[in-house]
Amino acid sequence: MVQYGLLINGLSDGFGHEEWANFAASLGWKYCDGPWSTQFYYDDPKLIETVQWFADNSLKKGVIVPAKDARQAAATGLFAAQKGALALTGSWLIHWYKENCKFDIGFAPLPKGAIGRRSVINGLADSIWVGTKHPEEAWKWVEFLASPEAQKIVGEHGIVFPAIPEAADISQKQMAAQGADVSAFTEEAKDPHGTFFLPISEHASEVVRLLRANFDGIFLDGADPATTLKATNKEVNALFK
């Protein structure tokens, strides 16, 4: 049976939020300067170094599952099938792993880089469609969902971490009662420098399209990361001119 050291979800989503972004950020890299930025940094040597590491360990050394294989079952399915020793994952999948892995598992922190440990926040928001015919009713529902009462209801199920700390603590206790030590996630979230946001910008769909195509070139076709990312960054930044 083929087994890998590290399992990933495919590497080519453009943002790498479950994979290379966290590693690059731990070296000091960032997507951009903040919300609505018009300049991205996909040509940063820190990112190029990180992507080269993932590419080499995936395509040449066989330590990381190849992207083409990861897309068929993702890190979750491959790990449950015991195809790898480690899997990069998010807190929203804690329950899935506990339910589907028929062997003992544990959750460990991400490795530390030059500036420490960094993790992308993959938070979700309850939003109202601008074209709704029931704005007042929709607002009441969203307002309730954001309340401590609703957040505690979510926390009591012990599946995800609500945004309100008190409710998140309830969820952590529920997970502990189910046999899951999730301190690797909660301690990172409590670190004032431990997390960072995915980019928020105009031209988001075009940015994603360009990034996916070019990361596919790297992780599927073996394109040179330095050459590819420098060219990609010019394409992305040109969207804002």
Side-chain angles (χ1 to χ4, degrees):
M1 181 174 67
V2 175
Q3 290 183 312
Y4 296 92
L6 181 62
L7 302 172
I8 45 81
N9 279 333
L11 293 166
S12 300
D13 73 344
F15 293 130
H17 68 287
E18 288 185 69
E19 294 137 357
W20 47 260
N22 302 311
F23 286 64
S26 74
L27 298 180
W29 172 76
K30 57 184 179 180
Y31 293 107
C32 53
D33 291 322
W36 313 117
S37 177
T38 59
Q39 182 175 6
F40 283 75
Y41 302 115
Y42 284 93
D43 59 349
D44 188 319
K46 300 182 185 69
L47 177 61
I48 292 172
E49 177 186 355
T50 302
V51 172
Q52 184 72 66
W53 183 86
F54 271 93
D56 287 347
N57 280 286
S58 174
L59 298 173
K60 297 179 181 180
K61 300 179 181 179
V63 176
I64 299 175
V65 61
K68 63 180 180 62
D69 297 328
R71 289 184 177 182
Q72 296 176 12
T76 48
L78 291 169
F79 189 80
Q82 301 186 55
K83 295 292 187 179
L86 297 168
L88 294 174
T89 193
S91 61
W92 58 93
L93 286 171
I94 291 171
H95 183 73
W96 190 96
Y97 278 100
K98 289 293 295 180
E99 288 291 305
N100 291 279
C101 295
K102 307 307 179 184
F103 48 88
D104 291 335
I105 63 171
F107 300 98
L110 289 165
K112 288 184 178 180
I115 64 169
R117 185 179 291 117
R118 296 291 185 272
S119 174
V120 172
I121 290 178
N122 189 25
L124 304 177
D126 300 306
S127 305
I128 301 172
W129 178 44
V130 68
T132 181
K133 296 180 180 179
H134 305 281
E136 292 183 9
E137 293 87 347
W139 169 243
K140 288 181 180 179
W141 176 239
V142 169
E143 190 175 28
F144 168 71
L145 291 175
S147 70
E149 179 186 359
Q151 295 282 295
K152 288 178 182 178
I153 293 173
V154 173
E156 287 168 358
H157 288 275
I159 295 177
V160 295
F161 293 115
I164 295 176
E166 184 180 356
D169 289 341
I170 293 173
S171 185
Q172 182 176 1
K173 290 177 181 177
Q174 289 291 340
M175 293 177 184
Q178 298 166 15
D181 179 358
V182 296
S183 58
F185 297 102
T186 56
E187 292 304 311
E188 187 70 15
K190 292 175 182 178
D191 182 344
H193 302 294
T195 58
F196 62 103
F197 290 103
L198 289 167
I200 301 171
S201 73
E202 298 287 352
H203 307 293
S205 60
E206 293 98 327
V207 171
V208 170
R209 176 180 57 79
L210 288 170
L211 294 174
R212 282 179 174 170
N214 284 282
F215 276 109
D216 272 350
I218 294 171
F219 294 119
L220 295 179
D221 303 325
D224 176 60
T227 302
T228 303
L229 290 176
K230 289 176 182 179
T232 303
N233 201 62
K234 290 181 180 179
E235 290 184 276
V236 169
N237 287 337
L239 295 170
F240 300 91
K241 294 180 181 178

